[in-house]
């Protein structure tokens, strides 16, 4: 039997327990998960586990809240021996490490623009999630600098054992030796970086030294860009790897491969549930948690820090991601049912969700949402308010991007903000897992197996179609920020145009389909006079082009005296950069 004697924290996050082995009278340090396992097995004399909430509570008169606390001790290496490379050693290193990754990220041009023009007292931050090529991007930039004769370069890779004061000494030494380009990788691992970050710009960048930084905890860089380094930092985002670039980096990838596993480098993260969960944990959850605990204005995030202290913040982040995937599943099932695209599986859907043709769209959504609420098993200690607050951080670190959908009727217009996951493989895997869990419920097992499989496959294909639609929209949203145009969707009286692009003079309408066949029905809303008239009135300009984007060959047809281009999605996306 064991007794919990001390709680051990990293900042404000409970990370370990010190326990006393009653049989040997020796103390041990155990992880939170191991202690929870002991409690589940009845191996603790002073605590029990609530299996639903995964929290410990005292028993036999013990109050765990009164246990002593201490901070986890991290040994610091106080030498000046950073992982540092300069001169010919750096040149050899980057040549060797760019051989495997010979193709460069598109954002290399942004980085080289910064490096080959006066920095004007600004530093550059490579800002993105894990496995999006930040470190290799540094290598490629260093290689390019050497190739144009600029060899006064240093590369530093930091760890949690490095000390901030020693970094300043190293930078001082490098600048005294005439180094003009300093690349600092994993700078967010350094304790105290947020508070001292301004020195990079105020001292070294003002001397004309080009400083390029990157780190795993990208939210830290977002914090410093809004505070300590406000207007003295150039951010280059790496998280979004669109289909065109992904296909360039991974020759032979088609659009379906991309939406199933795409969004990270190399392309092996989203193949199974274990790897996907690990990525969410390291690239997203730890990113947010570590950044919050080191923020300057922690009072601003007190509610979330309290969740961390209770050991619930990681679960809350997972729920924020899953909640968005749940809405995608609801949207897909509802649209499939309302539009009658489920074939013989429609009867199964009616039986499972207790819906029929007499219900409107919102009522169907509510029935589906209720059924999913049973499957998803969310932690009741985590309120919707926490989940909504965390969605803002998911936007900040580039996990999701929002776009506007207009939902219109003859009486009203409603603007709805719709989330798109920047990394489609993450959303695909989690959404398919939710659908598979739904199909394992007892309601489905009362149905013939072939019909059940038909429904399951049809919903997954519709999810794929939805994610293809999102990638098309996302690729054009990047252009929206560079040009005076809006990329949106419009739903009028239940009839939706998948993508609408407009500026002051022109309107372009698109339907986006996961199909290799060009079918006239796919263009029904593009040729519908009522919808076209409404859209032209709503945006006060004329429709100039109508296209169906699909997986087949590009061709032009005339339907009801309107010219419709059926364009291959791959060709369309190759045009957007």
């Amino acid at each position: 039997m064991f007794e919990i004697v001390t709680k051990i924290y990293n900042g404000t996050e409970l990370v370990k327990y010190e326990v006393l082995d009653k049989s040997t009278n020796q103390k041990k340090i155990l992880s939170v998960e191991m202690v929870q396992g002991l409690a589940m097995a009845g191996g603790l004399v002073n605590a029990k586990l609530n299996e639903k909430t995964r929290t410990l509570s005292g028993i036999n008169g013990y109050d765990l809240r009164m246990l002593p606390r201490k901070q986890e001790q991290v040994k610091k290496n106080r030498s000046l021996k950073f992982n540092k490379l300069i001169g010919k050693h750096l040149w050899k290193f980057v040549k060797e490490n760019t051989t495997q990754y010979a193709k460069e990220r598109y954002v290399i041009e942004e980085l080289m623009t910064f490096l080959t023009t006066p920095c004007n007292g600004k530093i550059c931050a490579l800002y993105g999630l894990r496995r999006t090529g930040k470190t290799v991007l540094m290598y490629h930039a260093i290689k390019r600098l050497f190739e144009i004769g600029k060899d006064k370069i240093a590369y530093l890779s930091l760890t949690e054992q490095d000390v901030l004061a020693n970094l300043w000494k190293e930078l001082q030494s490098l600048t005294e030796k005439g180094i003009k380009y300093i690349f600092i990788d994993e700078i967010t691992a350094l304790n105290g970086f947020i508070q001292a970050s301004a020195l990079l710009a105020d001292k070294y960048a003002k001397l004309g030294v080009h400083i390029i930084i990157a780190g795993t905890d990208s939210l830290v860089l977002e914090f410093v860009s809004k505070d300590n380094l406000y207007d003295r930092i150039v951010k280059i985002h790496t998280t979004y790897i669109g289909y065109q670039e992904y296909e360039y980096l991974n020759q032979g990838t088609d659009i379906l491969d991309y939406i199933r596993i795409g969004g990270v480098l190399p392309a092996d993260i989203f193949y199974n549930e274990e790897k996907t969960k690990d990525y969410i944990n390291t690239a997203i959850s730890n990113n947010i948690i570590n950044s919050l605990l080191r923020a300057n204005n922690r009072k601003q995030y007190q509610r979330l820090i309290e969740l961390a202290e209770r050991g619930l913040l990681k679960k809350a982040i997972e729920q924020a991601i899953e909640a968005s995937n749940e809405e995608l599943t609801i949207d897909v099932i509802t649209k499939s049912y309302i539009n009658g695209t489920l074939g013989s599986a429609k009867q199964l859907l009616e039986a499972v969700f207790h819906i029929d043709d007499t219900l409107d769209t919102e009522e169907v959504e509510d029935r589906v949402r209720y059924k999913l609420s049973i499957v998803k098993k969310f932690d009741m200690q985590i309120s919707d308010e926490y989940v909504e607050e965390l969605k803002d951080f998911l936007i900040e670190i580039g996990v999701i991007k929002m776009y506007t959908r207009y939902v219109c009727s003859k009486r009203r217009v409603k603007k709805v903000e719709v989330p798109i996951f920047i990394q489609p493989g993450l959303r695909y895997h989690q959404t398919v897992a939710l659908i598979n869990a739904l199909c394992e419920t007892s309601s489905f097992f009362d149905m013939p197996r072939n019909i059940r499989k038909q429904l399951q496959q049809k919903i997954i294909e519709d999810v794929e179609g939805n994610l293809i639609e999102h990638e098309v929209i996302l690729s054009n949203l990047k252009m929206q920020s560079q040009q005076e145009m809006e990329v949106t969707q419009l739903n009028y009286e239940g009839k939706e145009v998948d993508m609408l692009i407009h500026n002051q003079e022109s309107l372009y309408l698109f339907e986006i389909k996961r199909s290799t066949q060009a079918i006239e029905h796919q263009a029904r809303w593009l040729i519908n006079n009522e919808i076209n008239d409404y859209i032209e009135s709503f945006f006060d300009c004329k429709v100039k082009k109508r296209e169906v984007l699909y997986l087949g060959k590009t061709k032009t047809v005339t339907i009801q005296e309107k010219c419709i281009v059926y364009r291959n999605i791959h060709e369309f996306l190759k045009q957007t950069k």
Side-chain angles (χ1 to χ4, degrees), residues 126-379:
L126 305 183
Y127 177 82
L129 297 182
R130 283 183 65 242
R131 296 294 192 97
T132 57
K134 298 185 295 297
T135 297
V136 175
L137 182 60
M138 283 186 167
Y139 298 162
H140 279 296
I142 293 168
K143 183 171 180 284
R144 281 204 188 189
L145 287 173
F146 273 114
E147 289 171 344
I148 60 175
K150 299 182 183 296
D151 59 357
K152 300 296 184 181
I153 314 167
Y155 171 77
L156 306 176
S157 181
L158 308 183
T159 70
E160 292 179 351
Q161 281 68 50
D162 290 317
V163 180
L164 188 62
N166 289 342
L167 174 62
W168 302 139
K169 292 178 183 178
E170 186 65 50
L171 293 178
Q172 184 65 33
S173 173
L174 290 170
T175 53
E176 288 173 357
K177 292 175 181 176
I179 296 295
K180 296 298 183 183
Y181 304 91
I182 302 176
F183 293 76
I184 310 174
D185 202 3
E186 296 300 346
I187 197 166
T188 58
L190 215 56
N191 282 324
F193 163 69
I194 291 181
Q195 293 72 19
S197 57
L199 190 60
L200 291 171
D202 294 344
K203 182 175 181 180
Y204 299 103
K206 279 191 175 180
L207 292 173
V209 179
H210 287 77
I211 305 283
I212 302 88
I213 62 174
T216 298
D217 296 333
S218 56
L219 186 56
V220 166
L221 300 179
E222 181 67 17
F223 287 161
V224 299
S225 72
K226 291 181 176 179
D227 189 2
N228 305 64
L229 282 167
Y230 180 72
D231 79 4
R232 288 164 295 161
I233 187 169
V234 174
K235 289 191 299 182
I236 296 178
H237 294 261
T238 65
T239 299
Y240 176 55
I241 308 171
Y243 170 66
Q244 186 198 61
E245 183 176 12
Y246 192 83
E247 193 271 338
Y248 162 73
L249 296 170
N250 300 277
Q251 289 275 298
T253 302
D254 65 22
I255 187 66
L256 289 174
D257 291 330
Y258 173 73
I259 60 104
R260 290 167 183 161
I261 62 173
V264 291
L265 302 169
D268 63 351
I269 299 301
F270 303 129
Y271 274 114
N272 59 51
E273 186 173 0
E274 184 179 347
K275 282 193 169 186
T276 303
K277 284 185 175 180
D278 179 65
Y279 186 79
I280 292 171
N281 185 44
T282 56
I284 301 173
S285 298
N286 288 349
N287 187 342
I288 293 174
I289 292 168
N290 294 340
S291 301
L292 283 175
L293 296 177
R294 294 157 65 186
N296 280 338
N297 186 10
R298 290 181 55 184
K299 287 185 179 178
Q300 183 179 347
Y301 312 112
Q302 192 57 44
R303 280 159 44 89
L304 296 180
I305 290 172
E306 287 173 1
L307 267 187
E309 288 181 332
R310 292 162 55 197
L312 293 172
L313 188 50
K314 281 189 179 181
K315 182 63 178 175
I317 293 166
E318 290 172 9
Q319 286 190 194
I321 294 171
E322 289 167 9
S324 184
N325 292 328
E326 177 200 354
E327 289 303 314
L328 171 62
T329 306
I330 293 167
D331 190 46
V332 165
I333 293 175
T334 302
K335 280 184 179 178
S336 299
Y337 181 81
I338 296 295
N339 295 334
T341 62
L342 288 163
S344 61
K346 185 172 182 177
Q347 292 179 334
L348 170 58
L349 205 65
E350 290 175 345
V352 169
F353 295 108
H354 307 294
I355 54 181
D356 57 56
D357 291 333
T358 65
L359 302 177
D360 63 24
T361 301
E362 288 188 6
E363 289 172 317
V364 174
E365 286 180 352
D366 287 342
R367 300 281 177 97
V368 177
R369 185 173 286 107
Y370 172 74
K371 195 73 176 181
L372 287 177
S373 70
I374 300 171
V375 174
K376 65 188 181 184
K377 297 177 182 176
F378 280 0
D379 193 321

Side-chain angles (χ1 to χ4, degrees), residues 338-339 361 407-409 491-496 524-525 531:
I338 296 295
N339 295 334
T361 301
V407 181
C408 311
S409 67
N491 183 303
Y492 176 68
E493 298 285 353
K495 306 172 184 69
E496 185 166 281
R524 65 192 185 283
W525 306 137
I531 296 174

